[in-house]
Amino acid sequence: MHVPDGVLSPQVAAATGVVAAVGLGYGLRTLRARLRERTTVLMGTMAAFVFAAQMVNFPLFPLPISGHLLGGVLAAVVLGPWAGAVVIAAVLIVQCFLFADGGLTALGANFVNMGLIGAVGGHAIYAPLRRAIGGKVGVLLGAMAAAWFSVILASGAFAVELALSAPVNFSEILGWMTLVHAGIGLGEAVITGLVVRFLLLLRPDLIEDITPVPTSRAGRWGQVAGAGLAIAMAVAIFLAPLASKYADGLEFVGGRLGFLPKEERPVLKAPFPDYALPGVRFATAAAGLVGTAAVFGVGLALAGAFAAGKPAERVGVDAA
């Protein structure tokens, strides 16, 4: 659901840019209330995984449409809503500047849709569902339901942004966007559920605000980072090359209704546009490795720069 350059009007691009900057700034400020070691490691690891997973477009059979993980709810379930939004910001920044995936002028809108609405809005749906159902089942079902709704809300937000940018049929745009992304949201829910289930089985302490970290594991965040980065890189190497070649939901609806530019002209000349590394064998896998490592570094840098340290003995449940 990455909006390219030339779709939104300069006024809407500027307005969403301001909202995104304020939201990102607030998210970074909240990191000061979180624990340095856990937050830093998990932000880098989660950013790397979300980036790699977003490269794996899944087909929406029988339609010639594909979708991919947005990851906002998944990041929020692990890190809390605002740290989760910062993770999505790290992913979007690398995608935009290295791979021209999402336009520079639309970077603010993409963060509003996938970061603020996806992570913060998604967590607002997840948290009451988790409490109402209770236990690990509440975590799992709440995460899956919120993941589905987050995709619908993000697609609706884009419809509003487009309607404010140009004289389009808002009802038609909204109808098609929500219809197509309702199907894509099922994939989002399944992937989110699988990852959350995996964590609940092996490391439930990695789920935000669910259980204290066992003393025997409190000092093993380096191992978590290594394992998480290895999983993300495995996804980039082995699954990304198998991604569906069908147009994603936004591209499909844009092609059908004609609101996408006939020829994309990115404002920023990225070094590896469309995840291509000229002259490199297995270019998609190689681009995935480069991007995964870059996002991991950006996630670590953002957390390390803005999260204030806390006493080591308090490692446990982070503030939301």
Side-chain angles (χ1 to χ4, degrees):
M1 199 185 296
H2 295 72
V3 182
D5 289 315
V7 175
L8 303 180
S9 69
Q11 295 84 355
V12 171
T16 52
V18 171
V19 174
V22 172
L24 179 58
Y26 182 82
L28 292 171
R29 284 189 61 189
T30 65
L31 297 183
R32 298 185 182 278
R34 305 183 66 84
L35 304 177
R36 177 183 292 278
E37 188 176 20
R38 179 187 190 275
T39 300
T40 301
V41 168
L42 292 184
M43 281 185 64
T45 304
M46 184 55 62
F49 178 79
V50 170
F51 172 86
Q54 284 195 3
M55 292 186 66
V56 187
N57 280 45
F58 52 84
L60 197 66
F61 292 126
L63 301 174
I65 307 172
S66 70
H68 62 71
L69 180 76
L70 297 188
V73 168
L74 178 59
V77 168
V78 173
L79 287 160
W82 290 101
V86 174
V87 161
I88 301 303
V91 173
L92 293 172
I93 288 169
V94 171
Q95 288 172 331
C96 176
F97 283 88
L98 282 187
F99 303 104
D101 189 6
L104 179 61
T105 60
L107 185 57
N110 285 328
F111 177 65
V112 169
N113 299 344
M114 289 186 272
L116 297 183
I117 293 175
V120 181
H123 190 273
I125 299 171
Y126 158 75
L129 288 175
R130 181 194 68 182
R131 290 192 295 268
I133 299 171
K136 294 182 178 180
V137 174
V139 173
L140 179 61
L141 296 182
M144 293 181 69
W148 185 80
F149 276 110
S150 72
V151 177
I152 302 299
L153 292 175
S155 66
F158 168 75
V160 172
E161 292 157 0
L162 183 64
L164 294 174
S165 297
V168 296
N169 186 328
F170 173 69
S171 298
E172 184 179 38
I173 298 291
L174 180 63
W176 274 101
M177 286 294 294
T178 54
L179 178 63
V180 169
H181 285 87
I184 294 174
L186 295 177
E188 179 90 11
V190 169
I191 296 170
T192 300
L194 289 173
V195 176
V196 170
R197 179 59 175 164
F198 175 81
L199 293 177
L200 288 172
L201 287 173
L202 299 182
R203 288 294 302 262
D205 53 290
L206 297 185
I207 302 295
E208 182 258 347
D209 203 24
I210 182 174
T211 182
V213 180
T215 303
S216 60
R217 292 180 175 177
R220 297 182 179 178
W221 296 115
Q223 296 178 12
V224 173
L229 185 59
I231 292 173
M233 287 188 167
V235 171
I237 293 171
F238 298 110
L239 296 183
L242 303 178
S244 172
K245 303 302 181 185
Y246 289 139
D248 69 14
L250 179 62
E251 293 169 341
F252 175 82
V253 177
R256 185 179 184 89
L257 301 184
F259 60 74
L260 290 180
K262 294 182 179 179
E263 181 181 353
E264 287 191 20
R265 295 181 179 179
V267 171
L268 175 71
K269 185 174 177 59
F272 312 118
D274 297 323
Y275 301 90
L277 275 68
V280 177
R281 292 189 64 187
F282 310 110
T284 301
L289 284 177
V290 170
T292 300
V295 171
F296 181 75
V298 172
L300 289 178
L302 286 174
F306 291 93
K310 297 281 182 146
E313 64 269 20
R314 291 187 60 192
V315 174
V317 180
D318 288 352

